[in-house]
Amino acid sequence: MTKLISGITFIKNGLTLGYPIKESIESIDSLCDEIIINVGFDNPELTEDDGTWDYLTTHFKGEKYIFLKSYWDPAMTSKGLILSQQTNIALERASGKYCQYIQGDECLHENDLETIRKEVEKMESDHSYNGLVFNYIHFYGNVNVQKQTKKTYRRELRLIRNGLGIKSWLDAQGFRNKDDSKVLCKQINATVYHYGWARAEQVMQAKTRAFEKLYHGDKKKDESFNYERVWGLRPFKGEHPKVMNNWIKANKNDLDILSLPYKFNVKDIRLMLSDRFEYLTGIRLGEFKNFKLKN
């Protein structure tokens, strides 16, 4: 029987860097007929990692879960390209008609899964577009604070039609057609919950150091990481995905970032005006989109 939806993800040093990778996979589990999990290793022999491989293969057993081992070449340090490379390794193994992408610090909400299923059913009969764009909630400093401003992307392509040559693009934030043109998509009422900036400061310092190497190699000096109250932070008043409950209890920071003094930057003045305009009109001025939206 042809599989309808393949889940795809990749991860490296998921335990060391505090990723909720198990929860991310669990959040798409019931939506997918198979899930491709690409785990990164430090050496070409694929024997050295931080325990993420054993952790995930212990939790996810059965034919539904297809595990891949992949070497992360430390020489590949331009523009985060290794991230799209690793995404595409998982994508190439997907056999479903559609691919639901989830990164290791993202989760879908159980309340949105039925909406996603119905939108995929619509794609089955409407071939005029090839992707679904999801809304985003970005947490910052803690799981009860979200960052919403022009500096954070408010939506992104996360489900694609498979078999057309669509590929992960640059640093894997989005996807492009095989000729590098933007994928024609439909915006849907489903949300990705992004926890990448909601970890403890010492974990975030390790994460930012690792990501600087993916973009700049060893050219940039290590700097200490401290959360600051920047523009765009507001309380999160919604409900987290249920699969995140235990992770949140284990990783919730004592930091009350909204009680810190606001760190003013003169560049924020234009940002404030732009964000105010978006609040009043729903239009984000100068918004960069990795996709095209159908009318």
Side-chain angles (χ1 to χ4, degrees):
M1 180 182 295
T2 302
K3 294 180 175 64
L4 184 63
I5 303 177
S6 297
I8 60 171
T9 191
F10 74 93
I11 190 70
K12 184 176 186 289
N13 293 334
L15 298 182
T16 304
L17 300 182
Y19 279 88
I21 179 60
K22 178 178 74 71
E23 293 77 8
S24 294
I25 296 169
E26 289 172 341
S27 77
I28 65 170
D29 201 345
S30 64
L31 182 68
C32 301
D33 300 301
E34 66 175 7
I35 300 180
I36 319 298
I37 305 164
N38 180 18
V39 181
F41 281 73
D42 293 322
N43 62 331
E45 296 77 21
L46 305 177
T47 58
E48 299 175 3
D49 82 323
D50 70 340
T52 298
W53 173 269
D54 289 340
Y55 173 71
L56 292 178
T57 54
T58 297
H59 279 91
F60 299 102
K61 296 181 179 294
E63 295 181 356
K64 178 176 183 177
Y65 309 102
I66 301 172
F67 282 90
L68 309 176
K69 291 184 176 182
S70 184
Y71 171 53
W72 283 44
D73 185 352
M76 194 172 183
T77 57
S78 174
K79 300 180 181 179
L81 291 175
I82 197 167
L83 304 177
S84 58
Q85 179 203 60
Q86 296 300 314
T87 301
N88 286 326
I89 289 172
L91 178 58
E92 288 168 5
R93 286 293 303 271
S95 62
K97 297 173 69 175
Y98 304 89
C99 291
Q100 173 67 59
Y101 184 43
I102 196 82
Q103 292 191 351
D105 55 6
E106 299 176 344
C107 268
L108 298 184
H109 201 291
E110 63 275 5
N111 292 345
D112 289 337
L113 297 181
E114 186 58 30
T115 295
I116 299 168
R117 290 190 188 97
K118 289 180 178 178
E119 292 295 342
V120 170
E121 290 176 4
K122 293 176 183 177
M123 291 181 73
E124 283 283 85
S125 58
D126 186 349
H127 290 260
S128 65
Y129 58 101
N130 294 316
L132 299 178
V133 169
F134 291 60
N135 297 313
Y136 262 77
I137 294 175
H138 301 274
F139 298 99
Y140 186 86
N142 219 327
V143 294
N144 60 356
V145 177
Q146 67 182 96
K147 187 176 183 182
Q148 185 175 342
T149 178
K150 186 180 177 180
K151 283 188 174 181
T152 58
Y153 52 95
R154 61 175 177 168
R155 50 190 176 178
E156 190 51 85
L157 171 55
R158 276 298 175 264
L159 188 143
I160 61 171
R161 196 186 301 273
N162 198 13
L164 300 178
I166 296 174
K167 60 188 178 183
S168 182
W169 175 253
L170 294 182
D171 62 356
Q173 181 177 313
F175 293 82
R176 291 290 177 94
N177 291 312
K178 58 184 176 181
D179 63 357
D180 294 345
S181 62
K182 294 182 179 182
V183 180
L184 186 61
C185 301
K186 178 183 179 182
Q187 172 80 53
I188 67 170
N189 187 26
T191 301
V192 175
Y193 291 67
H194 179 215
Y195 295 88
W197 291 89
R199 289 167 275 182
E201 286 182 334
Q202 62 269 30
V203 177
M204 287 305 303
Q205 181 160 333
K207 181 224 175 183
T208 53
R209 185 183 301 121
F211 268 68
E212 287 293 350
K213 290 183 177 180
L214 296 182
Y215 286 80
H216 308 291
D218 294 318
K219 298 176 183 177
K220 197 165 184 178
K221 293 182 180 180
D222 289 342
E223 299 178 358
S224 60
F225 179 88
N226 298 101
Y227 283 116
E228 297 173 322
R229 186 181 177 185
V230 294
W231 171 254
L233 302 185
R234 62 188 66 186
F236 173 67
K237 299 181 180 180
E239 293 185 355
H240 292 276
K242 289 181 180 178
V243 296
M244 288 298 297
N245 286 346
N246 290 335
W247 187 90
I248 287 172
K249 290 177 183 177
N251 291 274
K252 189 173 182 179
N253 298 331
D254 294 329
L255 174 70
D256 181 6
I257 195 169
L258 293 179
S259 69
L260 298 177
Y262 169 61
K263 184 182 179 182
F264 176 76
N265 187 319
V266 67
K267 294 181 180 179
D268 288 346
I269 296 176
R270 292 182 63 184
L271 193 60
M272 292 173 182
L273 294 173
S274 175
D275 289 346
R276 181 62 177 171
F277 181 82
E278 179 182 338
Y279 176 78
L280 293 173
T281 66
I283 299 171
R284 177 168 289 191
L285 297 173
E287 180 181 14
F288 173 78
K289 296 188 286 289
N290 265 319
F291 48 82
K292 293 189 298 184
L293 288 177
K294 70 189 297 286
N295 296 326

